[in-house]
Amino acid sequence: MKIKDIAEAAGVSTATVSRVLNGKQHVRPEVQKKVLEIVKQMNYSPNRAAQSLRSRQSSMIGLVVADIQNPFFASVCRAVEDVSQAHNYSIILCNTDENPEKEQMYLELLQNENAAGIILSPTKRLAKHFPQELANQTPMVLIDRKVEGVDVDSVLIDNFSAAKTLTTHLLGNGLKRIAGLFGSPSITGEERLLGYQAAFQESGIKIDPDLIIELPAKMENAHEAVTKLLESESPPEAIMTSSGLLANGAFRAIRDKEIEIPGTLAFATFDESPWTSMTRPAITVIEQPTYDIGMTAGEMLIKRIREQSRPTRQVVLSSRLIIRQSCGSSQ
Amino acid sequence: MKIKDIAEAAGVSTATVSRVLNGKQHVRPEVQKKVLEIVKQMNYSPNRAAQSLRSRQSSMIGLVVADIQNPFFASVCRAVEDVSQAHNYSIILCNTDENPEKEQMYLELLQNENAAGIILSPTKRLAKHFPQELANQTPMVLIDRKVEGVDVDSVLIDNFSAAKTLTTHLLGNGLKRIAGLFGSPSITGEERLLGYQAAFQESGIKIDPDLIIELPAKMENAHEAVTKLLESESPPEAIMTSSGLLANGAFRAIRDKEIEIPGTLAFATFDESPWTSMTRPAITVIEQPTYDIGMTAGEMLIKRIREQSRPTRQVVLSSRLIIRQSCGSSQ
DNA sequence: AATTAAATTGTAACCGATTACAACAAAAAA
DNA sequence: TTTTTTGTTGTAATCGGTTACAATTTAATT
């Protein structure tokens, strides 16, 4: 079923059919009606590959994230999909696992695919060697990670401030030996570490460097690290983690050791998850506007696709500290 | 940068370049080497739209699920992506929300896109009116839901037995008034309901029809339904839910009312989630082999893409009852 | 050495849409 | 009525690959 078949059935040329289908220029209403009828009757829809080849633009949006199993990205992804769908774009999902080679591979793929646009949570390496030409050529929106000195749209939260806020909250509760688990290598993890350090700085309390742990953001890693931490000679008074996945492993390790929260150990983390409000004590968290991030990124991308030359902008959405019982503070 | 440029630079025809790139037939090793060198040097990679147009096959696999925010599907998705990537396919992600129109729209899109294959968790309507022609024409693997009397590959767990096992476990603990929350409209929910009923049947205990609740699998719905249930004149002794999302809302409602588990109310659910082992008491669940389902489906799809005519098969993976403390059983 | 078979390469058609251009018709202006 | 403008339509080129077919070279066989 191709455009030629429709053209023949309607007694017009393929050009006319194409014009009708794309709502272009001058076509007599009666011809238009006839063509549409036949299109409907024959249940025709155009071949995307042909369209894409000719117009040098596909209807695909590349969504490149670290890991779709991370609820943060799942939520972002869902939002992007909702927005895309409303504008007749589909999404190609790419997981990088923070691996620059995978990321590179996917970016090339998306170029070859003539993706209409790309939404990307860049790895640390990409942030260092940012492909500005690619961004100039293909509409792109960065999410979740700050990349300095490049001209590209982005949507993120202020990770530095959020981490500082959370740490300050812990310090404010009289906790001093606060261990921090930060995802690595990851820009997000890095920024949050800086916020953590800044909070200490400001409070005048010294950080025990042994309590700063950078590690790949996987549950098992956090479990292992926290287990070791808790078995050490001078265990911390509090633990904070920089992502939901890390929180999970960490919390499990704490539970395994049957350590009392917040009595013996306080606990707080980035990322609101289904479980953070369900444990007893419920857990103090920094909640990110995940769906909003995805939605905003999606909308910005659509706008850029429509108007390639619009000035770029950085949107910073605000996160929220939800104080619960895991840090010993009353409300 | 197109194949013609490479051909010219290498002093051969485009056909030869194409042959080299696709590892086809007869090309003199020296020519091959030369072409590959130039391809590398000029950093060429082929236009996917053109390839897809001519060969009538894209390198895209459609993954159609109910909702990527459901951790079950996120895990399946991740597995599919891993397998796809290893075979040089990418995935187009489609969320249906159990909405047949959305599903229909996406299936058409995937056809127009010449998707190499489709992995699909079908809605109830699709199961009734299964597009066998589409399945014959495009490699397809069904996941998660059983569809009767069609000739198509599928990967699932035995939902009926799993639900029966879980319900029998509750009954075995002396619980009789067991409320069940089942996702609807969804084949999975339906099958689990049947298993639930069968367990009662077998035990000779009557079901109070008021305790069977079918509802869209969203947290809020479950929260609302359970709240109402708990406020009713004759509240249940136990609640089981047929999916992780429902479990979340249900558990939250129980917590909100500060009802003691398992003393006053027992609780169990389908789907192992990060939080089910972290609450106190920890929750008894049916754990599904999520990653395995995705991986198996992915591999089956690749095989079918390679050999369109192979006989179809149904793979049933086994789920596992994890007994914890939420149902009052010692274990 | 002559014949046959196999390997290598190029030419050009093709996939299915979009669109520049030309042709023609109808309406408006002179 | 003639000329100009505007609107409608078709023809054919084009996007960038793949591949059938034919042509040519090389190797194997008789």
Side-chain angles (χ1 to χ4, degrees):
Chain A
M1 178 63 54
K2 43 186 182 178
I3 206 171
K4 209 175 154 202
D5 300 325
I6 304 299
E8 276 165 14
V12 297
S13 73
T14 60
T16 298
V17 176
S18 176
R19 282 181 195 118
V20 170
L21 258 28
N22 296 294
K24 283 265 179 71
Q25 330 185 47
H26 331 282
V27 180
R28 252 164 51 227
E30 45 201 288
V31 174
Q32 177 166 324
K33 193 174 153 234
K34 170 111 198 217
V35 169
L36 287 177
E37 249 168 34
I38 296 202
V39 163
K40 186 156 200 180
Q41 187 192 120
M42 300 180 73
N43 192 26
Y44 163 82
S45 53
N47 180 307
R48 301 292 186 119
Q51 286 186 314
S52 164
L53 175 58
R54 179 59 224 234
S55 62
R56 298 159 164 290
Q57 165 117 177
S58 85
S59 60
M60 291 289 156
I61 287 176
L63 177 59
V64 185
V65 299
D67 181 6
I68 190 67
Q69 284 195 82
N70 183 333
F72 172 82
F73 287 119
S75 178
V76 168
C77 172
R78 187 55 215 261
V80 171
E81 211 252 359
D82 287 348
V83 174
S84 302
Q85 221 231 87
H87 293 87
N88 274 96
Y89 290 99
S90 306
I91 77 173
I92 298 178
L93 180 66
C94 314
N95 294 103
T96 68
D97 291 316
E98 307 286 359
N99 177 341
E101 272 115 49
K102 270 193 173 185
E103 179 179 53
Q104 181 61 29
M105 192 271 286
Y106 274 123
L107 289 178
E108 277 168 18
L109 178 113
L110 291 172
Q111 274 190 285
N112 301 335
E113 200 65 57
N114 291 315
I118 298 175
I119 292 180
L120 169 68
S121 73
T123 62
K124 211 165 152 184
R125 191 178 81 178
L126 195 87
K128 277 229 173 63
H129 310 276
F130 187 76
Q132 184 70 55
E133 336 74 61
L134 173 58
N136 294 340
Q137 182 197 318
T138 306
M140 182 184 286
V141 177
L142 263 30
I143 53 171
D144 190 39
R145 288 101 193 263
K146 189 150 124 196
V147 178
E148 301 280 3
V150 300
D151 187 35
V152 60
D153 288 319
S154 61
V155 182
L156 30 77
I157 69 161
D158 185 344
N159 285 305
F160 175 86
S161 302
K164 194 172 151 195
T165 301
L166 183 57
T167 311
T168 300
H169 171 69
L170 289 165
L171 289 166
N173 283 2
L175 300 158
K176 293 185 178 157
R177 293 185 49 75
I178 305 169
L181 271 67
F182 302 94
S184 171
S186 135
I187 300 168
T188 310
E190 218 168 46
E191 294 243 309
R192 291 176 185 174
L193 170 53
L194 290 175
Y196 163 93
Q197 290 170 324
F200 272 91
Q201 179 91 41
E202 208 163 81
S203 74
I205 295 172
K206 270 240 180 94
I207 302 180
D208 176 351
D210 290 346
L211 297 183
I212 296 180
I213 296 169
E214 295 181 89
L215 73 184
K218 298 262 174 197
M219 292 190 209
E220 310 80 57
N221 297 331
H223 189 280
E224 193 186 338
V226 168
T227 302
K228 207 178 291 173
L229 212 49
L230 296 176
E231 287 171 355
S232 75
E233 287 178 15
S234 47
E237 300 166 347
I239 294 180
M240 67 161 280
T241 55
S242 86
S243 88
L245 251 23
L246 291 177
N248 199 301
F251 192 77
R252 198 169 301 223
I254 298 170
R255 271 281 154 95
D256 286 351
K257 293 224 164 297
E258 296 184 357
I259 290 173
E260 202 212 332
I261 301 176
T264 312
L265 183 73
F267 185 69
T269 184
F270 268 75
D271 291 343
E272 168 73 337
S273 311
W275 58 272
T276 48
S277 61
M278 307 226 285
T279 55
R280 285 298 118 97
I283 295 168
T284 293
V285 301
I286 293 282
E287 181 188 43
Q288 303 192 63
T290 52
Y291 191 88
D292 241 31
I293 292 176
M295 200 177 70
T296 308
E299 280 166 356
M300 283 173 79
L301 186 65
I302 302 283
K303 281 184 192 150
R304 178 153 306 283
I305 290 171
R306 299 233 166 103
E307 189 196 344
Q308 185 80 255
S309 66
R310 75 199 287 267
T312 61
R313 58 189 75 179
Q314 322 276 104
V315 175
V316 177
L317 299 176
S318 55
S319 55
R320 188 164 66 105
L321 173 64
I322 303 180
I323 298 174
R324 298 206 264 242
Q325 295 82 41
S326 65
C327 302
S329 63
S330 61
Q331 170 45 274
Chain B
M1 178 63 53
K2 41 189 184 176
I3 205 171
K4 210 175 153 201
D5 301 324
I6 304 299
E8 275 164 16
V12 297
S13 73
T14 60
T16 299
V17 176
S18 176
R19 282 180 194 118
V20 171
L21 258 28
N22 295 294
K24 284 264 181 69
Q25 330 184 45
H26 330 282
V27 179
R28 252 164 52 225
E30 46 203 287
V31 174
Q32 176 165 324
K33 192 172 153 236
K34 171 112 198 218
V35 169
L36 287 177
E37 250 167 33
I38 296 200
V39 163
K40 185 155 202 180
Q41 188 192 117
M42 301 180 74
N43 192 28
Y44 164 81
S45 53
N47 179 308
R48 301 292 186 120
Q51 286 185 315
S52 163
L53 175 57
R54 176 62 223 231
S55 60
R56 297 159 167 290
Q57 166 114 177
S58 84
S59 59
M60 292 289 157
I61 288 176
L63 177 60
V64 185
V65 299
D67 182 5
I68 192 66
Q69 283 195 80
N70 183 331
F72 172 82
F73 287 119
S75 177
V76 167
C77 172
R78 185 58 215 260
V80 171
E81 211 252 1
D82 288 347
V83 174
S84 301
Q85 220 231 92
H87 293 86
N88 274 96
Y89 289 99
S90 306
I91 76 174
I92 298 178
L93 180 66
C94 313
N95 293 104
T96 68
D97 290 316
E98 307 285 0
N99 178 341
E101 272 113 52
K102 271 193 173 184
E103 178 180 53
Q104 182 61 30
M105 192 270 287
Y106 274 124
L107 289 178
E108 275 168 20
L109 178 113
L110 291 172
Q111 273 190 285
N112 301 335
E113 201 64 58
N114 290 316
I118 298 175
I119 293 179
L120 169 68
S121 73
T123 63
K124 212 166 152 186
R125 191 179 81 178
L126 195 87
K128 277 229 173 65
H129 310 276
F130 187 76
Q132 184 71 55
E133 337 72 63
L134 172 58
N136 294 340
Q137 183 195 317
T138 306
M140 181 184 286
V141 177
L142 263 31
I143 52 172
D144 190 40
R145 289 101 192 265
K146 190 150 123 197
V147 179
E148 301 281 1
V150 301
D151 187 34
V152 59
D153 288 319
S154 62
V155 182
L156 29 77
I157 68 160
D158 185 343
N159 285 305
F160 175 86
S161 302
K164 194 172 153 195
T165 301
L166 183 57
T167 311
T168 301
H169 171 69
L170 289 165
L171 290 166
N173 284 2
L175 301 158
K176 290 183 180 155
R177 291 183 50 74
I178 305 169
L181 270 67
F182 302 93
S184 171
S186 136
I187 301 167
T188 311
E190 218 168 45
E191 293 244 309
R192 291 175 187 174
L193 170 53
L194 290 174
Y196 163 93
Q197 291 171 322
F200 273 89
Q201 178 90 40
E202 209 163 80
S203 74
I205 295 171
K206 269 240 182 89
I207 302 180
D208 176 351
D210 290 346
L211 297 182
I212 296 181
I213 296 169
E214 295 181 89
L215 73 184
K218 299 263 175 195
M219 291 189 209
E220 310 80 57
N221 296 331
H223 188 281
E224 191 185 338
V226 168
T227 301
K228 206 177 292 174
L229 212 48
L230 296 175
E231 286 170 357
S232 74
E233 288 177 14
S234 47
E237 300 167 348
I239 294 180
M240 67 161 278
T241 55
S242 86
S243 88
L245 250 24
L246 291 177
N248 201 299
F251 192 77
R252 198 168 302 218
I254 298 170
R255 271 282 154 96
D256 286 351
K257 293 222 163 299
E258 297 186 356
I259 290 173
E260 201 213 332
I261 300 178
T264 312
L265 184 74
F267 185 69
T269 184
F270 267 77
D271 289 343
E272 167 73 337
S273 310
W275 59 273
T276 48
S277 61
M278 308 226 285
T279 56
R280 286 296 119 93
I283 296 168
T284 293
V285 302
I286 292 284
E287 180 188 44
Q288 302 192 62
T290 53
Y291 191 88
D292 240 31
I293 291 175
M295 198 177 72
T296 308
E299 281 167 355
M300 281 172 81
L301 187 65
I302 302 283
K303 280 183 192 151
R304 177 153 307 282
I305 290 172
R306 300 234 165 103
E307 189 196 344
Q308 185 79 256
S309 66
R310 73 199 287 269
T312 60
R313 58 188 75 181
Q314 321 276 103
V315 176
V316 177
L317 299 176
S318 54
S319 54
R320 188 164 67 105
L321 173 63
I322 304 181
I323 298 174
R324 302 206 178 99
Q325 293 84 42
S326 66
C327 301
S329 63
S330 63
Q331 122 69 300

